[in-house]
Amino acid sequence: MKAITLLGSTGSIGTQTLDIVAQYPDKFRIVGLTAGRNVTLLAQQIRQFRPEIVAVCDEDKLLELKEAIADIDPQPILLAGESGVVEVAQYGDAQAVVTGIVGCAGLLPTIAAIKAGKDIALANKETLIAGGPVVNPLIEKYGVKILPADSEHSAIFQCLQGVMVGGLRRIILTASGGSFRDLPIDKLAAVTVADALKHPNWSMGQKITIDSATLMNKGLEVIEAHYLFGMDYDDIDIVIHPQSIIHSLIELQDTSVLAQLGWPDMRLPLLYALSWPERIHTDWERLDLVKAGDLTFREPDHEKYPCMQLAYAAGRAGGSMPAVLNAANEQAVALFLEEKIQFLDIPKLIEKACDKHQTDNCESPGLDDILAADRWARQEVLADSMELGDRILSVR
Ligand code: NAD
Ligand code: MG
């Protein structure tokens, strides 16, 4: 029986992780849960999974949560705020922490979990992208494992089982192409939030769905792959694969290529991140290649989607630049979701922030440098978006 703590339990990754725990009660047990502010769902989860400790990030929701679970016996320890989330992440005898929080908000809890000796089932890619220079040495120091739950990185990790050190030559990340893959470039300026939220293959949280539409998600995954597998950026490629059946591939030194295939279902990478190195038998729909039909591939269009190259450039710059890229993206996506900027403003705002950070890029950042770069980039994007707002108003 593996004891796990789940951060971001009310989100897309969180609820799918709990589906797995519910399906395999003899294999997994929940120690801790955290959520942002959805206390109705969190209370149901507490009732079903009986965690020892729970935190809600929004402190104003604590009372509501207390009332919603007043009749439960025994009561879990209830905490609130960012410090509460950190406390849950490092608590008790959980062996693994699933990071289903969205954004750089996952950084401090992930670090706390590592320092408490817990393995990390990593869905929250933003943490590694911003914090790679800090997180990776801590993983070494505390001797914990980082098990990728992002579908592409899980695919690579699965393909790598049994490959000797030095055998890997290239990583090929597949990308669905997102909501606008079949839309001509000249139509992108007018797309709405509702259009961008319609992902063709995956049902996910809002932020990552927008990241998929801009293809920044793939750019972020390039940096994630660099930190997870130690590959140079020259050896990480992207290919568009609209069917999302091949979840990624690796090329070995002798040019042999290995791929991992499956229906687009996040439960599979999540299960493997929890069961590794074991394989658990499931009754999930098995892949039928004939039903899957044609598998096609095309080159990524960098003119239509500049975010991928922004990410490669930030990754190559290293230091605190990926943290700036990530935070600028988080802020720009939030503004787009609030309908304060347009879709094509997202890459422009990110590029501006990264350009400005070039002279200040901190080569080997510590945690404080990363947090400062993150805060700075959000403020920059906010300030620059105001100017955009003024321009849009004056044109009208
Ligand atoms: P989501 O928006 O559906 O869920 C996010 C969860 O985090 C919620 O429980 C929310 O309450 C909580 N949360 C949000 N802000 C918080 C904060 N500041 N502090 C504490 N908790 C907070 O997001 P998601 O789609 O589940 O994605 C989660 C992470 O997993 C992201 O980093 C994403 O890139 C990654 N990921 C998701 C998928 C997917 O299929 N959804 C696939 C690959 C990777
Ligand atoms: Mg992915």
Side-chain angles (χ1 to χ4, degrees), residues 7-14 16 34-38 57 82 85 99-103 105-106 123-126 149-152 202-208 211 217 221 266:
L7 310 179
S9 66
T10 55
S12 162
I13 290 292
Q16 293 181 86
T34 80
R37 55 198 321 276
N38 182 352
C57 190
E82 282 168 29
V85 176
T99 62
I101 289 186
V102 57
N124 176 228
K125 65 192 89 184
E126 296 93 340
D150 207 351
S151 58
E152 297 76 3
W202 299 91
S203 158
M204 309 181 287
Q206 290 199 334
K207 192 260 175 183
I208 184 174
D211 285 349
N217 185 48
E221 289 181 353
M266 278 307 292

Side-chain angles (χ1 to χ4, degrees), residues 17 24-25 39 71 92 123 142 152 154 158 163 227 232 256 267 272 282 295 301 315 324 341 346 363 385:
T17 304
Y24 298 99
V39 288
D71 60 316
Y142 289 91
E152 297 76 3
S154 171
Q158 293 182 56
V163 173
Y227 284 126
D232 284 347
S256 183
R267 289 178 308 171
Y272 191 60
T282 77
L295 302 184
D301 181 342
V324 165
I341 61 168
I346 298 174
E363 238 175 75
S385 72

Side-chain angles (χ1 to χ4, degrees), residues 75-91:
Q75 285 274 305
I77 302 166
L78 281 188
L79 304 168
E82 282 168 29
S83 59
V85 176
V86 166
E87 193 57 45
V88 173
Q90 66 193 11
Y91 178 85

Side-chain angles (χ1 to χ4, degrees), residues 208-285:
I208 184 174
T209 306
I210 303 300
D211 285 349
S212 301
T214 61
L215 279 164
M216 180 54 99
N217 185 48
K218 213 47 56 181
L220 296 176
E221 289 181 353
V222 167
I223 303 176
E224 186 184 9
H226 167 80
Y227 284 126
L228 279 174
F229 305 111
M231 290 298 274
D232 284 347
Y233 287 98
D234 289 345
D235 301 322
I236 306 173
D237 289 340
I238 297 172
V239 67
I240 305 295
H241 167 46
Q243 296 83 13
S244 297
I245 296 293
I246 297 184
H247 297 305
S248 279
L249 314 91
I250 61 170
E251 184 188 345
L252 304 176
Q253 297 297 352
D254 57 7
T255 73
S256 183
V257 172
L258 308 183
Q260 186 262 334
L261 285 74
W263 297 118
D265 182 343
M266 278 307 292
R267 289 178 308 171
L268 191 48
L270 283 166
L271 177 65
Y272 191 60
L274 292 174
S275 71
W276 178 88
E278 269 183 55
R279 291 284 186 177
I280 292 180
H281 178 90
T282 77
D283 58 6
W284 300 341
E285 185 183 359

Side-chain angles (χ1 to χ4, degrees), residues 137-201:
L138 286 176
I139 285 169
E140 284 272 304
K141 181 172 170 193
Y142 289 91
V144 300
K145 287 180 198 71
I146 189 155
L147 299 154
D150 207 351
S151 58
E152 297 76 3
H153 305 75
S154 171
I156 295 160
F157 183 61
Q158 293 182 56
C159 292
L160 278 171
Q161 302 300 309
V163 173
M164 310 247 297
V165 176
L168 180 62
R169 180 162 172 179
R170 182 167 65 122
I171 283 172
I172 306 165
L173 294 171
T174 52
S176 69
S179 316
F180 303 130
R181 64 183 179 204
D182 300 318
L183 197 72
I185 185 168
D186 58 326
K187 296 268 193 290
L188 276 184
V191 298
T192 65
V193 171
D195 297 332
L197 286 176
K198 283 183 210 128
H199 195 285
N201 302 359

